Amino acid sequence: MTNSIADIRSGIAEARREAIANGIAEPRVVLVPTMGALHDGHLALVDRAAELGDIVVVSIFVNPLQFGPKEDLSSYPRTLESDVARLADRGVTLVFSPSGDDMYPDGDVSVRVRAGDIGTRYEGRTRPGHFDGVLTVVAKLFHILRPDAAVFGEKDGQQLFLVQRMARDLSFDVEVHGVETVRADDGLALSSRNVYLDDAERRSARVLPAALDAAAAAGDRGIDAVVAAAQSVIVGEPRVELDYLAVVDPATFLPVDGDHHGKAVVLIAARVGTTRLIDNRRIFVN
Ligand code: PAF
């Protein structure tokens, strides 16, 4: 495990030299950015990274910039030792686990990436500044590690969209790949925040994927039916408080019109007890 920016840079340079010595003419570095508390969803990202390149770097950093003042920064699960153990035998070349001081020597940054209009919608409306914080740390990781590709989960669909847009808008020479959401047997999307749920909340949380299933099944009856189908599942579970339900165009992440036909993504966020969960699903609207 490497903590400082200087060490990870020399670690990657060394890994490149080794790969070249082993006959890989142009080794590709692939980054998996995480905040730790790793679960099988993260491991799917790591597996995809190993397919995409030769040198896999996993970053583990709980980024204070993306947490609001009333959010769970101090209680966010930190499980560095078991995370590193989970990455063993997974084809990971280097783990980068910088401290807050390494990443933000002045405690904060005065220059940050702005996520723009889409960054203020859905997650961004409930969590103002969240995506500016995400894009700023991802931009820093891209500069520090200079990966050829980076892998993000589709569960955080708005984040994936915004990182792809940042890479294009700011001409980062990095391919940004999405990996399908990994779900538990009951359909709940894996998330580091699922550990906050007690047994009853965990059962209630199943209405999120169930609402997305209902939305997908209503796709042949138009957008209004999609929204109504998802809402009717959520209102049936009193422990779950809907934050937003939106149907967006995957190409723009703007809400679709009522007469939209074709591909769409249903986004959902809800509070189950004190835990906020998000999920999404691609659907087709006839
Ligand atoms: O998805 C996450 O875990 C974080 O938002 C990320 C991309 C690692 C940036 O801190």
Side-chain angles (χ1 to χ4, degrees):
M1 190 171 53
T2 311
N3 293 318
S4 77
I5 291 175
D7 285 351
I8 192 71
R9 282 185 165 145
S10 56
I12 291 175
E14 176 61 29
R16 275 188 198 279
R17 279 193 293 274
E18 253 178 51
I20 291 168
N22 288 331
I24 302 168
E26 289 183 18
R28 277 166 57 86
V29 176
V30 186
L31 167 65
V32 182
T34 81
M35 297 207 299
L38 301 184
H39 50 65
D40 287 351
H42 294 110
L43 298 183
L45 304 183
V46 170
D47 291 348
R48 180 75 184 116
E51 287 167 7
L52 288 166
D54 312 289
I55 297 166
V56 174
V57 183
V58 176
S59 64
I60 299 180
F61 178 62
V62 182
N63 172 36
L65 250 51
Q66 68 190 72
F67 287 78
K70 293 193 183 129
E71 292 184 12
D72 56 345
L73 173 62
S74 58
S75 59
Y76 195 84
R78 287 164 172 84
T79 55
L80 188 57
E81 232 172 85
S82 61
D83 288 346
V84 172
R86 292 207 76 177
L87 293 173
D89 304 326
R90 213 77 199 193
V92 174
T93 319
L94 291 160
V95 177
F96 176 47
S97 170
S99 67
D101 285 349
D102 285 319
M103 291 296 274
Y104 304 120
D106 299 328
D108 197 350
V109 283
S110 53
V111 176
R112 20 183 118 199
V113 179
R114 294 272 175 233
D117 171 50
I118 298 299
T120 65
R121 294 170 184 257
Y122 326 116
E123 278 307 279
R125 208 178 62 155
T126 305
R127 308 181 67 189
H130 168 69
F131 287 115
D132 296 353
V134 169
L135 294 189
T136 301
V137 81
V138 171
K140 278 182 74 91
L141 291 168
F142 285 179
H143 286 306
I144 294 166
L145 306 167
R146 302 199 173 267
D148 299 283
V151 182
F152 294 81
E154 286 180 357
K155 188 193 137 262
D156 297 302
Q158 190 179 1
Q159 168 173 286
L160 172 61
F161 175 87
L162 287 167
V163 172
Q164 278 168 333
R165 179 162 276 194
M166 174 183 77
R168 200 179 62 223
D169 283 356
L170 301 185
S171 305
F172 279 98
D173 194 10
V174 181
E175 294 163 18
V176 178
H177 294 261
V179 171
E180 204 173 310
T181 303
V182 178
R183 297 182 180 279
D185 290 344
D186 60 3
L188 189 66
L190 298 193
S191 161
S192 303
R193 290 192 166 97
N194 291 353
V195 296
Y196 298 148
L197 300 169
D198 66 25
D199 289 349
E201 289 168 345
R202 166 81 206 205
R203 280 193 296 279
S204 304
R206 288 186 205 156
V207 296
L208 272 80
L212 296 176
D213 288 347
D220 54 0
R221 288 184 281 123
I223 291 296
D224 289 349
V226 164
V227 172
Q231 270 169 346
S232 71
V233 174
I234 296 288
V235 296
E237 177 48 74
R239 271 205 194 85
V240 174
E241 190 196 326
L242 185 64
D243 180 355
Y244 63 80
L245 173 73
V247 187
V248 305
D249 183 331
T252 61
F253 248 71
L254 289 168
V256 295
D257 293 332
D259 59 357
H260 176 83
H261 296 284
K263 289 180 185 171
V265 182
V266 183
L267 310 175
I268 194 166
R271 241 171 227 292
V272 187
T274 55
T275 308
R276 200 164 164 283
L277 300 175
I278 63 170
D279 201 347
N280 69 77
R281 177 163 170 167
R282 275 171 277 169
I283 65 165
F284 193 85
V285 185
N286 280 317

